[in-house]
Amino acid sequence: MAEQEASGLQVLLSTLQSSCDKDVILNILSVLTDLLSFGTGRRIHYVVSKGGSEALLQALATAARTEPPDHGTLLPLLRLLARVGQRDRKFGHKVQKAEATDIILSLTRRHLGHHLHLTHCLWVLRVCASNVTTGTILGINGAMELLFKVITPYSKRHVRTVRAAIGALAALLKSKSNSRRAVHRGYLGELLRLYQDWHRNDVSNNYIYIRRGLLLCLKYITNIQLGRETFLGSRGMEILFTSVQDCLSCKNLDPIITTATHILRKCYPKENLPVVTVRSSYSFPLPGNASAEPPCEGSEGDSESEGEEEDEKDWDNEDVESKEEDCDLETDVDKLRSRPVLDRPEQELEKYEALCAELFQNFQELEFESEEKKSLEDRTESLPSAPSHFIPSATSVKHPNCRWRNQSVTEMGPDPGEQDFKVPLQSWRKKEECIWDKNDENRDIAEKSQDKDFCEEEGPARSHVFALCSLLKDAAWYKKVFYPHCEASINPSPEGRLESSDLVRNLLEKHQGDIPFHSPCFYAARAKCVKSIPGYRELAFPDFWGHQPPPHSKPLLERKHGLQRDKVLDDVRRLIQPGDVIGRTVFDLDDPSLSSPAAPGCLTFFSKFESGNLRKAIQVREFEYDLIMNADVNSSQHHQWFYFEVRDMKSAVPYRFNIINCEKLNSQFNYGMQLVMYSVREALQGRPRWTRAGQEICYYKNHYRCRSAAAGGGGVRRRFYYTLTFSIKFPHKDDVCYLAYHYPYTYSTMMSHLDILEQNRNPKKVYWRQQTLCQTLGGNPCPLLTITAMPESKNRDDLEQFCSRPYVFLTARVHPGESNASWVMKGTLEFLVSSDPIAELLRKCFIFKIVPMLNPDGVINGNLRCSLSGDDLNRQWLTPSSQLHPTIYHAKGLLYYLSSIGRAPLVFCDYHGHSQKKNVFLYGCSIKETLWQAGCMVDTAVVTEDVGYRTLPKILDKVAPAFVMNSCSFLVEKSRASTARVVVWKEMGVLRSYTMESTYCSCSHGLYRGLQLGTQELEEMGSKFCLGLLILHLKSLPCSKELMAQAALLLDLEEEITDRAQRRCSNSSVESDDEPPCAEEIDYDTASSSDGEEEFLELDQEIQECLSCVEGETEDEGVTTGQTCSSRALRGLYISSQPAPSSTALPLGSSALGLCRGFESSPV
């Protein structure tokens, strides 16, 4: 049947090309009109695939040679060409091949005096010009000059013809050469005058399409630098800005406002970032001959290129964007299956034996437990299951890393919490090596020596004080608000920051101690030993005081209509109405003298604390500030993470903040995500928590540019910056607040958390061993944890079961800005050491090797993605350097060692955060899925693969509310060949090697659909990952009957709880897009036209409007009798093309052909 239909259509098209009979041609055109007049664009594509475009062009060439022209044939033919041509991607090439450009131009010139016929010619001219090459040829042959004869100032006559001419001109101006020609001939100024005239006179807004068409012409002509310069010189910014202000009150004028806003944003004069250099304010000398990223200074002016925009490489970790081309997939089966050679001498692996002491431990020391350990066991044995926690008192802080100079373990004296937070300024060591001894005694001695050196003073003159930077300079404020009856003397330091031990003591007394697994004393002690490039002297209050999750999750922020354009217009107002712009720098890392004292009525900013990132703050207006983030150390890029303090605010006043040097192409901030805020006053009143905050949040491309060295050597690559803008009403006057991209989780937070977990565990049940994997480049220890269950007894069978447990290897925070990964890891760790029955069972099944923070230096110094070397550590796993990438080098070495002794992990998982996707999901590795996705033939006899890599994500999809299996991917990309996931899969042969991505924003379905994920949900994901591992073990590995029975009982209970929670969510089964469309178009690519399908519909609508109103129109007054007869025939042809209401079949029968044949003489 389909073949018969195809042959019938081909007969029609062949007859159309060869026949000279007018009636036959009319009948064929009628049939084609009926065929294409309703339904979807697929019908047109089908006609195109059968040679429809070529047939119509041939028929046009034949009809054009007829003298006089037969408009009864010509007009329906032109109309069909317009409809078919706009959906034929090769139409321009076919027009050139048929030599039809001259024919179309000739017909257009011939019909300048007849607007109905001219309109049809202009439709075809517009479709032809949509092809850049054909449009350039038309421009050379005078098409633009011809169109400007048709486009007139405001008039109510011939408006459809004017509209068609403007549409054709806009299509011509997509060609850069046509745009240059138009500028040289003064057409840009003429377009501005025409737009002003139509805007001024169209008071009833009847001609929106004409006004918008003129703006589209300006949009395309300003895609070239010459066009932008001429636009600015012609006062285009002022003209468009003024006209937009007149349109804002009418929602029907949104198409005009949106297009004008895009032009204004694009033509805004490009500027350098207002910083001394785009390189980071922090630098770090690298060991040996290694050099950091080369400088990227240079002029930031636009180059004379074919367009303003370039493709940008978005360095999101492990993301497989839907737009990523399949050519990135690795299709070489040999490479996918090969096992690379060892990247180091095999004898070097022996030193990693010290990091696997659990395999060689005899547990004889269990008989000689100290009284201290016994008392600790008695204290912790009665603790309930997680989320139980043990909060030590201030006097219980006893950790070797927190010792002071000349103090031994027994001579520590007063507690660190009572030492006025004084700590020596740490000395920097260029290189430190971790000493791994093979017995515990030597290891402890080494650690003590190392820790003593780690916090050693350089001299009395170098000692300084760790102050709480969130407390105000004026001590009287603190006394008045929080301790009105306190008479203690509080003296500020010369630098204005409080140093009083009375103040700290009062704060600690006020701390309720009800934040699980957090102690301010532990945190302060750990923070003193941190080595940072700026030499941090102050603690951020949220990290010191702690965070308690809010009782309820916050829904996604609803985006206000027209928000993006309003923000862009505010930016344009700065340029053309600069009278109220202050432009005062109030904070600058590069010039500290500008940071204080603050001007009256001005906010005070600060970011020199652990994980802080704010480089510069500029007061734009009284309540508006431009903020600039600091690049990663030894780098000039990677701007996303921010974390800073702000104070001296007024309450209930909306402050606008513009972070102007973001780099991502898009952001979840455009889809309902909010930043987080922490209020000191709220915390001291009993609500210590980070909360989602900010209104009128928008993310868009701005006018700041940067040039950097192009990858691969030659030339430069321009980088485009984006603005994240948001407004905040602070809850209290003169409060101290912290703003951050996401919930911060610092290195000191992690280290103090590990201290508390170690004390909180039950030593009789939990085997816990904390070692130092290595020293980082900056001299900070990178901890390695080993967690499993203690053996049931010392008999041989129990010890063999202990040693034979499979390994699970977990890592996190290789990218410092992905703090959500640390919150997930926190949930994993707390669950693993808890007394939860499932956790106890899990510990009996696995030995966990965990590196909770692979990039401590990056986290400490506020980086987004890199380490101190300026390298992305998750791109160094193939050939890591022991000097530049020590944490990766030794983590890979440990994995190599486990693999060499036959103990490769059952599961490897690297915890990450994803800035542009929703949900929590896994990336894995599969040869077959990669080849299938790339369209390669897969010989299943040659390529065999265990599908067990899908088991864990399927389990997590059932047990974890935030996890979505549909978001997972198991493709191996060439660009990801050096990531942990791919390297561990290929080199160590770990089938279940994953990256786990957690969203910063929300979930697309399930229990958390429409809710922004908080720390509680992230921690839950960490614990559910553990549950998934237990189920995986039961499904994949042999287990004892006792273990299976115990697990079955526990998992049945867990499943019942999960099912009950899932039933409470009525929409849990509803799937939705990972990235729903934004409420407002985000047009970043200014060289692009409007959406193609929208243009098709617009032209179709224009054609039908013209046909339905062809009689009695003002534009057709004065036509001859013969023309009227032709118009009536055209009207009849249009009516005949409409399907009957009850008809479902195409009118291809003889009755339709006969009806069309009699139209010319029938009354309308």
Side-chain angles (χ1 to χ4, degrees), residues 692-761:
R692 296 280 186 173
Q695 299 293 321
E696 298 187 355
I697 300 177
C698 185
Y699 188 93
Y700 59 92
K701 184 177 288 182
N702 60 36
H703 59 280
Y704 292 105
R705 298 291 181 267
C706 174
R707 283 190 172 189
S708 60
V716 293
R717 165 177 73 84
R718 281 185 298 142
R719 196 162 71 240
F720 303 93
Y721 289 121
Y722 297 79
T723 291
L724 167 63
T725 181
F726 55 90
S727 297
I728 284 188
K729 289 184 180 180
F730 294 103
H732 304 286
K733 180 183 178 182
D734 292 333
D735 194 2
V736 180
C737 293
Y738 291 80
L739 302 179
Y741 179 86
H742 194 67
Y743 303 95
Y745 195 95
T746 67
Y747 173 75
S748 296
T749 299
M750 177 201 67
M751 295 299 286
S752 60
H753 183 235
L754 297 183
D755 293 339
I756 296 173
L757 286 179
E758 184 171 9
Q759 292 204 15
N760 186 39
R761 71 186 175 94

Side-chain angles (χ1 to χ4, degrees), residues 317-417:
N317 60 279
E318 287 290 323
D319 52 350
V320 185
E321 304 292 349
S322 60
K323 296 181 180 179
E324 189 175 43
E325 296 182 3
D326 289 343
C327 63
D328 187 39
L329 297 176
E330 180 58 77
T331 56
D332 188 329
V333 179
D334 292 335
K335 288 184 178 179
L336 288 170
R337 301 176 67 181
S338 65
R339 289 286 183 86
V341 297
L342 198 65
D343 67 353
R344 67 197 74 193
E346 191 171 352
Q347 56 269 25
E348 274 193 22
L349 299 182
E350 296 176 1
K351 66 181 180 181
Y352 295 102
E353 179 182 322
L355 297 179
C356 297
E358 65 279 357
L359 297 178
F360 312 101
Q361 193 156 357
N362 57 20
F363 292 97
Q364 294 300 319
E365 68 274 13
L366 291 179
E367 295 180 345
F368 308 103
E369 294 173 346
S370 66
E371 293 299 320
E372 181 182 355
K373 282 190 176 182
K374 289 182 179 179
S375 63
L376 179 60
E377 290 173 17
D378 295 337
R379 192 166 64 244
T380 58
E381 190 174 15
S382 59
L383 290 175
S385 61
S388 65
H389 62 277
F390 166 68
I391 302 297
S393 64
T395 57
S396 66
V397 182
K398 298 287 189 293
H399 194 279
N401 276 6
C402 305
R403 292 173 195 154
W404 274 258
R405 183 183 175 201
N406 300 326
Q407 289 180 329
S408 65
V409 179
T410 58
E411 298 173 344
M412 289 188 67
D415 181 75

Side-chain angles (χ1 to χ4, degrees), residues 322 556-557 559 666-673 916-919 999 1001-1005 1009-1010 1071-1082:
S322 60
L556 291 172
L557 181 67
R559 186 183 176 103
N666 202 350
S667 171
Q668 284 292 320
F669 283 117
N670 274 331
Y671 302 93
M673 175 176 153
Q916 297 194 44
K917 288 189 176 182
K918 291 181 169 61
N919 307 313
T999 181
C1001 185
S1002 67
C1003 294
S1004 61
H1005 77 286
R1009 182 181 185 181
E1071 292 287 345
S1072 64
D1073 292 338
D1074 182 62
E1075 192 75 293
C1078 189
E1080 176 182 5
E1081 180 187 6
I1082 302 174

Side-chain angles (χ1 to χ4, degrees), residues 767-802:
Y767 178 95
W768 168 287
R769 188 178 184 85
Q770 180 175 339
Q771 298 168 281
T772 298
L773 176 69
C774 63
Q775 294 291 321
T776 67
L777 200 60
N780 294 291
C782 178
L784 168 71
L785 305 177
T786 305
I787 302 175
T788 187
M790 294 292 285
E792 295 288 339
S793 68
K794 291 186 295 180
N795 66 51
R796 182 175 179 179
D797 291 342
D798 288 336
L799 292 179
E800 284 185 359
Q801 191 277 336
F802 175 90

Side-chain angles (χ1 to χ4, degrees), residues 60 68-79 104-125 150 158 160-161 164 1106-1107 1110 1115-1116 1119-1120 1122-1128 1130:
L60 176 65
D70 181 6
H71 295 104
T73 303
L74 194 60
L75 296 185
L77 184 58
L78 289 169
R79 189 166 59 255
I104 295 166
L105 278 176
S106 176
L107 286 172
T108 305
R109 289 190 178 98
R110 188 184 303 180
H111 293 104
L112 283 176
H114 193 293
H115 293 282
L116 175 62
H117 302 160
L118 177 60
T119 302
H120 282 68
C121 294
L122 292 173
W123 289 337
V124 179
L125 183 63
V150 181
H158 318 313
R160 286 195 174 85
T161 305
C1106 182
L1107 288 171
V1110 71
E1115 66 180 16
D1116 290 326
V1119 294
T1120 64
Q1123 290 169 330
T1124 303
C1125 180
S1126 177
S1127 297
R1128 288 179 177 176
L1130 185 61

